[in-house]
Amino acid sequence: MTSDAPAQQRTLVLVKPDGVRRGLAGEVLRRIEAKGYTLVTVELRQASDELLAEHYAEHAGKPFLAPLVEFMRSGPVLAVVAEGHRVIEGFRSLAGATDPTVAAPGTIRGDLGRDWGLKVIQNLVHGSDSPESAAREIGLWFPAL
Ligand code: IDP
Ligand code: MG
């Protein structure tokens, strides 16, 4: 039997330690839900060095990797799996550009973030950037899913 149901997709979202510290975790969840995506799981986590090294494997060798991992370990992160048709690109669009100073107003980073002049860009959220990254990252953070 064929189905007309749209193809669903999942993405990994992290509210980074700056977002949790500033009390913006709920605001990020609100925007994901307001856009019409579904929350599959939400968990406050203290990430380990091992998990972060795997999570940021694509940035191995870059000068900002060590400060990035240090920042990501500086407090809890809210780990979220969200679901919906085209949610991977949809959440990247909600998040805005990597540099929050120039991220478009209306986006999470553009509305709520700025460059604090630190070694690492603190930009409130992470979102998987492709179906392959999403599958890999969800497997890392939520092996049971
Ligand atoms: P993305 O989060 O927009 O996908 P990536 O290029 O995957 O951006 O970088 C991962 C994270 O590393 C960024 O979100 C930001 O926190 C940090 N970062 C990226 N590029 C730089 C940089 O040039 N200097 C400092 N930190 C950076
Ligand atoms: Mg990225």
Side-chain angles (χ1 to χ4, degrees):
M1 202 173 88
T2 57
S3 163
D4 281 341
Q8 297 299 300
Q9 220 177 36
R10 287 182 173 187
T11 193
L12 180 80
V13 171
L14 301 175
V15 181
K16 297 182 180 185
D18 56 334
V20 173
R21 261 195 296 274
R22 288 180 53 204
L24 296 172
E27 172 65 15
V28 172
L29 295 179
R30 188 194 67 73
R31 289 178 183 224
I32 292 170
E33 291 192 300
K35 183 84 171 173
Y37 300 126
T38 304
L39 301 175
V40 177
T41 192
V42 172
E43 197 179 304
L44 199 64
R45 281 273 191 93
Q46 181 64 56
S48 68
D49 269 336
E50 293 71 27
L51 176 59
L52 291 167
E54 295 250 25
H55 177 81
Y56 284 124
E58 68 171 302
H59 296 303
K62 293 194 188 156
F64 61 83
L65 179 64
L68 175 61
V69 168
E70 190 187 328
F71 160 57
M72 292 295 289
R73 291 204 55 196
S74 68
V77 301
L78 193 76
V80 178
V81 175
E83 185 173 79
H85 183 58
R86 297 177 69 194
V87 67
I88 295 171
E89 57 187 319
F91 180 77
R92 297 276 297 182
S93 176
L94 283 182
T98 303
D99 177 353
T101 293
V102 298
T107 65
I108 293 167
R109 289 162 168 174
D111 284 349
L112 308 172
R114 50 169 285 214
D115 183 354
W116 303 92
L118 303 169
K119 264 186 281 186
V120 166
I121 297 171
Q122 301 200 358
N123 53 11
L124 302 165
V125 289
H126 165 84
S128 307
D129 63 7
S130 67
E132 295 71 31
S133 304
R136 192 180 73 80
E137 293 171 2
I138 291 169
L140 276 175
W141 287 80
F142 295 103
L145 281 184

